[in-house]
Amino acid sequence: MADEMDKTARVFVAGSRGLVGSAIARRLQGEQFAHLLTPTRAELDLMDGRAVDAFFAKERPEYIFDAAARVGGIQANNTFRGDFIRENLQIQINLIDAAHRHGATKFLFLGSSCIYPQLAPQPMKEEHLLTGLLEPTNQPYAIAKIAGIEMIDAYRRQYGFKGICLMPTNLYGPGDNYNLETSHVLPALLRKVHEAKLAGAPSVVVWGTGKPRREFLHVDDLADACVFLMRSYDGDKLVNIGVGTDVSIGELARIIVGVVGHAGEIVFDTSKPDGTPRKLLDVTRLHSLGWRARISLEQGIAATYRSYLAGAVHARSA
């Protein structure tokens, strides 16, 4: 069993203003952790190694949730390739090394399902890592995340560093990025369909053929899994975090159209890339550790849409 992370522990959530980090922070705040460290980017630049070292020296966090990353969809990954590999490498190197040198009790590293080969067998098992070529559009990001996994493993073997690596599937939920240039498929579709409804547009354009299949996990479920595994898992093996089922992009679009209540037609722009044909995680190891996702896709999208509408109202009134 892991060292117990109780309410008196000093817990650092890196990236606490992002989709994942904010969900983890909400989860821990709900348990009333007395020493929850959630600095903003203005307060702590995670790409500044000296600043990170000074933060660890001063605050002495015991448990670190590394939810900090430069993330985006297909277009962002393919356009800002240098930014994605440089920023993600710098962030995780600074955090992992500082945690080791300042004697942190435990470190949780979040990777991504894109670390697996483009044509990996489905569903993807943790053992499929480094067994084939990566999806070209997000290769720099994936390589940065693989480097983080290897760094955790190397520090564990050389220094006895207690770090665990979790690989979430596609995420969505409150606080998502709805920028059509940089967002992932679900929030991008949610915004597109909402705006088409407001405009009375007869159709909504969806990139690609609609045939690729994706698995979607609500970010609050991920946060729950992270806290659960931080408390209960000390193994050196990767753990996939997902729901174990997937839908096609076309099916996803139809669910979103139903939730938003738009009567228009869905049009697939086949000149745009599809990306990986299928990304479904094998969650056998996760289930064997005692955790399962609880939020259904329809429930999660409905809740996310309500959050999006509330944010849009706030933005207009601000």
Side-chain angles (χ1 to χ4, degrees), residues 69-91:
R70 172 77 179 265
V71 298
I74 292 175
Q75 184 173 352
N77 270 277
N78 203 29
T79 303
F80 305 108
R81 300 173 72 86
D83 294 344
F84 271 74
I85 193 165
R86 181 188 67 254
E87 293 182 23
N88 284 296
L89 284 172
Q90 285 181 329
I91 289 168

Side-chain angles (χ1 to χ4, degrees), residues 8 14 16 28-29 31 65 71 77 84 99 103 113 121 124 135 176 181 188 197 207 209 216 218 222 243 262 299 318:
T8 64
S16 60
L28 295 170
Q29 286 163 351
E31 289 194 31
F65 290 87
V71 298
N77 270 277
F84 271 74
S113 58
M124 296 180 287
E135 159 63 37
D176 213 335
E181 298 297 318
K197 177 185 176 182
W207 275 29
T209 64
F216 296 96
H218 194 282
L222 173 62
V243 298
H262 178 51
Q299 291 172 332

Side-chain angles (χ1 to χ4, degrees), residues 9 37 85 91 96 123 135 145 167 174 186 194 229 248 264 316-317:
L37 305 169
I85 193 165
I91 289 168
I96 294 168
E135 159 63 37
K145 286 298 182 181
M167 300 301 113
L186 193 154
H194 172 72
L229 293 170
S248 72
R316 288 197 297 270
S317 62

Side-chain angles (χ1 to χ4, degrees), residues 44 48-60 98 102:
L44 176 61
D48 183 340
R50 290 184 178 179
V52 171
D53 188 69
F55 173 83
F56 272 78
K58 177 183 177 182
E59 302 293 349
R60 295 288 174 180
H102 291 281

Side-chain angles (χ1 to χ4, degrees), residues 219-293:
V219 71
D220 286 347
D221 266 343
L222 173 62
D224 188 68
C226 287
V227 173
F228 175 83
L229 293 170
M230 180 68 97
R231 285 176 163 148
S232 64
Y233 181 65
D234 275 340
D236 59 357
K237 296 182 181 300
L238 305 181
V239 182
N240 287 337
I241 312 295
V243 298
T245 58
D246 59 5
V247 295
S248 72
I249 297 301
E251 290 169 329
L252 174 68
R254 285 186 281 275
I255 291 172
I256 291 174
V257 164
V259 168
V260 173
H262 178 51
E265 178 186 5
I266 299 171
V267 177
F268 296 98
D269 181 357
T270 56
S271 70
K272 301 298 185 182
D274 269 340
T276 306
R278 191 181 192 196
K279 285 175 65 177
L280 175 64
L281 294 182
D282 184 306
V283 290
T284 302
R285 180 171 295 162
L286 176 66
H287 288 175
S288 72
L289 293 170
W291 189 91
R292 290 175 181 266

Side-chain angles (χ1 to χ4, degrees), residues 129-178:
L129 180 63
L130 298 177
T131 60
L133 297 176
L134 299 166
E135 159 63 37
T137 57
N138 61 18
Q139 183 169 296
Y141 174 74
I143 288 175
K145 286 298 182 181
I146 291 169
I149 295 165
E150 290 298 312
M151 188 171 178
I152 293 282
D153 183 68
Y155 273 45
R156 175 186 283 269
R157 292 170 182 266
Q158 183 173 350
Y159 305 121
F161 183 66
K162 294 190 80 173
I164 61 173
C165 297
L166 311 185
M167 300 301 113
T169 190
N170 299 288
L171 302 168
Y172 70 100
D176 213 335
N177 170 22
Y178 295 96

